[in-house]
């Protein structure tokens, strides 16, 4: 009886308002049948979640967890050397986790040469043109030629500060794949969208250009990073329930607009003030396939703890 009470509480009393709740004031007259169906589905999901591990709830456990560290525009020659040493010394106990570190461009070569070989190195952006007269830009081919395998694209800081539109992000993603790179392509809403119940509309606008330019095979080279802008660097973190709700929406969107195969296989990271204290709880959710970590990725011990959290 106590177990049933706790499960029902999780279903009907989420810790913070979800997108669904934010939209609720706009919707009236939901039938009792529909309400009961939703409740029954939620009960079933809660029951399964309480009796099965995370891997049992992903696509046959096939989506490998992926943790990315976005160093952003941080570091000095000495601090980067120290961070690499800390990461190299970290004891990774999770055997089924892919790790990617994205240093600033000026430290790519150092990271590529000195970072432990079970961690991949990513660039934080690229220029989607062939090498040539593009002063200040880094063409994708140059990254590929130096052995870089990954690139972060569409981060909210570039959307906001550099004017990158969703179409630009989609075109860069396609270009990167054509250069042989894999991408961590970022999407996410601002605070006004979260509070106004329009998060799904924002994600729809950001995902549509990607679906239009990428083939089904292209998606094998893409990791989606859902980063609510209101949680990046603010210390605010979406609750596990909020993050899972949004990740589940993205996966359903992929079913409806790309294919079931892509939906089942594409990995969706959560980003937004992920740290060594909250990673384990977030990582339990079946549609959260990894993290894109900002500030905590600059601390070797904290980042290693995040890697080992699943």
């Amino acid at each position: 009886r106590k177990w049933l009470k706790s499960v029902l509480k999780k279903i009907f009393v989420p810790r913070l308002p979800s997108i669904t709740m934010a939209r609720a004031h706009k919707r009236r007259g939901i039938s009792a049948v529909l309400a009961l169906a939703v409740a029954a589905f939620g009960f079933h999901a809660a029951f399964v979640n309480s009796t099965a591990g995370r891997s049992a709830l992903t696509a046959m456990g096939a989506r490998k967890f992926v943790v990315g560290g976005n160093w952003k525009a941080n570091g000095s020659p000495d601090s980067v050397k120290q961070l690499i040493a800390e990461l190299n010394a970290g004891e990774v106990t999770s055997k089924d986790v892919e790790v990617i570190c994205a240093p600033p461009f000026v430290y790519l070569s150092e990271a590529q040469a000195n970072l432990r070989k079970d961690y991949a190195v990513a660039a934080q952006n690229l220029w989607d043109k062939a090498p040539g007269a593009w002063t200040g830009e880094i063409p994708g081919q140059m990254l590929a030629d130096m052995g870089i395998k990954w690139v972060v694209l569409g981060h909210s800081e570039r959307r906001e500060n550099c004017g990158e539109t969703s179409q630009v992000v989609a075109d860069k993603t396609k270009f990167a794949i054509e250069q042989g790179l894999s991408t961590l392509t970022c999407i996410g809403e601002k605070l006004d969208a979260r509070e106004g119940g329009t998060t799904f509309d924002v994600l729809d606008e950001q995902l549509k250009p990607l679906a239009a330019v990428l083939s089904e095979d292209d998606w094998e080279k893409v990791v989606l990073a859902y980063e609510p802008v209101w949680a990046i660097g603010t210390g605010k973190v979406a609750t596990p329930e909020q993050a899972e709700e949004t990740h589940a929406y993205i996966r359903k969107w992929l079913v409806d607009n790309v294919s079931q195969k892509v939906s089942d296989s594409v990995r969706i990271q959560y980003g937004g003030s992920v740290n060594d204290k909250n990673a384990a709880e977030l990582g339990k959710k079946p549609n959260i396939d990894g993290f894109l970590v900002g500030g905590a990725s600059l601390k070797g011990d904290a980042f290693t703890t995040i890697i080992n959290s699943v």
Side-chain angles (χ1 to χ4, degrees), residues 73-140:
N74 291 298
S76 65
D78 288 342
S79 68
V80 168
K81 182 178 180 180
Q82 176 63 31
L83 177 56
I84 290 174
E86 292 175 2
L87 293 171
N88 289 346
E91 182 180 356
V92 176
T93 57
S94 294
K95 302 303 182 184
D96 198 31
V97 178
E98 186 171 9
V99 182
I100 304 161
C101 294
F105 278 118
V106 293
Y107 300 118
L108 273 177
S109 292
E110 182 173 354
Q112 182 80 341
N114 298 314
L115 187 64
R116 54 194 295 169
K117 299 312 175 188
D118 53 340
Y119 288 8
V121 175
Q124 296 179 18
N125 185 36
L126 59 67
W127 181 241
D128 57 345
K129 303 288 190 298
W134 312 109
T135 302
E137 296 294 347
I138 312 293

Side-chain angles (χ1 to χ4, degrees), residues 103-267:
F105 278 118
V106 293
Y107 300 118
L108 273 177
S109 292
E110 182 173 354
Q112 182 80 341
N114 298 314
L115 187 64
R116 54 194 295 169
K117 299 312 175 188
D118 53 340
Y119 288 8
V121 175
Q124 296 179 18
N125 185 36
L126 59 67
W127 181 241
D128 57 345
K129 303 288 190 298
W134 312 109
T135 302
E137 296 294 347
I138 312 293
Q141 183 181 321
M142 288 186 173
L143 297 174
D145 287 347
M146 68 178 294
I148 300 298
K149 304 296 184 184
W150 289 86
V151 59
V152 179
L153 295 173
H155 193 279
S156 62
E157 290 158 3
R158 293 200 59 82
R159 292 178 186 259
E160 181 72 17
N161 300 320
C162 303
E164 292 192 357
T165 65
S166 296
Q167 187 61 58
V168 167
V169 174
D171 290 342
K172 281 189 171 185
T173 299
K174 179 68 173 179
F175 185 84
I177 293 168
E178 291 174 343
Q179 302 305 302
L181 301 168
S182 295
T183 76
L184 303 173
T185 299
C186 303
I187 57 176
E189 84 283 5
K190 296 181 180 180
L191 183 59
D192 58 347
R194 166 62 61 169
E195 293 181 338
T198 59
T199 291
F200 293 165
D201 298 325
V202 172
L203 297 178
D204 183 70
E205 182 275 330
Q206 294 173 339
L207 287 166
K208 277 182 177 177
L210 287 167
V213 301
L214 299 181
S215 69
E216 190 169 77
D217 289 343
D218 288 339
W219 282 97
E220 296 178 4
K221 306 279 284 184
V222 175
V223 171
L224 290 176
Y226 167 62
E227 294 197 299
V229 180
W230 50 271
I232 298 175
T234 64
K236 298 178 181 178
V237 185
T239 66
E241 291 77 17
Q242 286 176 315
E244 171 64 15
E245 177 188 41
T246 307
H247 281 231
Y249 170 78
I250 295 168
R251 207 167 296 288
K252 178 62 165 59
W253 193 96
L254 292 170
V255 171
D256 295 340
N257 296 275
V258 184
S259 72
Q260 183 70 57
K261 176 184 176 182
V262 168
S263 176
D264 287 342
S265 62
V266 74
R267 293 179 289 177

